[in-house]
Amino acid sequence: MCDYNLMSKSLEALLEGENEIIPMLANASALLWQSVDRINWAGFYLIKKGELLLGPFQGKVACVHIQIGKGVCGTAVAQNKIMRISNVHEFAGHIACDSASLSEIVIPLHTKEGKVFGVLDIDSPDLNRFDEYDERGLKEYAEVLEKALGL
């Protein structure tokens, strides 16, 4: 079981004094990759020109463009809410970037003003991988990242 509190504190230390978004997201995805078990993708999509564009990540190659409102990531942005999907094959409109992914959690990322600017996306090859404990821990992790980014 992941110690999300420790992971969030590690992220704070890792990002301290940094102000470049790409290296910050790259290290945040690497920390997720090494800390969270039973995942096959961890990374970010950022809103650019009215769509989600692939950002720093760890894992297999991924979809580069996702329309707002499409798939789990696009739906999380459109609804501005965390999406925790136990079985992605039961999610209408799921975008299968990696056929090995069976469950997914997506956390919207916000500016200081509360506007969504991207998402944290994590996939797993296990059904029902993410529970309420993971959701709370990853939400805290995202909040640390939002604060450090200072957007």
Side-chain angles (χ1 to χ4, degrees):
M1 181 176 285
C2 182
D3 184 342
Y4 287 109
N5 187 43
L6 177 61
M7 193 174 71
S8 290
K9 287 180 181 181
S10 296
L11 182 64
E12 283 179 340
L14 187 64
L15 301 180
E16 187 176 345
E18 184 54 64
N19 60 7
E20 293 292 331
I21 189 170
I22 298 301
M24 293 171 81
L25 294 178
N27 274 334
S29 65
L31 182 57
L32 285 163
W33 187 253
Q34 71 185 29
S35 302
V36 181
D37 65 336
R38 300 180 4 250
I39 62 173
N40 60 344
W41 202 90
F44 300 93
Y45 281 91
L46 304 174
I47 297 175
K48 299 283 183 182
K49 298 180 183 176
E51 68 176 3
L52 287 168
L53 182 66
L54 180 64
F57 71 94
Q58 301 285 313
K60 293 182 180 180
V61 297
C63 300
V64 176
H65 302 273
I66 298 175
Q67 293 179 2
I68 305 295
K70 302 291 183 184
V72 180
C73 290
T75 301
V77 170
Q79 296 181 9
N80 190 16
K81 73 176 201 176
I82 295 171
M83 303 294 294
R84 182 166 36 104
I85 309 301
S86 297
N87 182 347
V88 295
H89 299 294
E90 294 176 354
F91 185 87
H94 173 252
I95 301 168
C97 297
D98 178 0
S99 62
S101 294
L102 297 177
S103 60
E104 183 171 7
I105 188 166
V106 178
I107 315 286
L109 300 172
H110 302 91
T111 64
K112 291 178 192 174
E113 294 79 26
K115 182 179 178 185
V116 177
F117 70 86
V119 296
L120 163 58
D121 179 22
I122 304 176
D123 296 349
S124 173
D126 296 349
L127 289 171
N128 301 305
R129 164 59 186 87
F130 305 104
D131 59 17
E132 291 173 2
Y133 173 78
D134 297 297
E135 184 174 325
R136 280 191 307 273
L138 291 167
K139 183 177 187 296
E140 177 184 324
Y141 190 81
E143 289 168 351
V144 168
L145 184 60
E146 289 168 342
K147 183 178 177 185
L149 291 171
L151 300 176

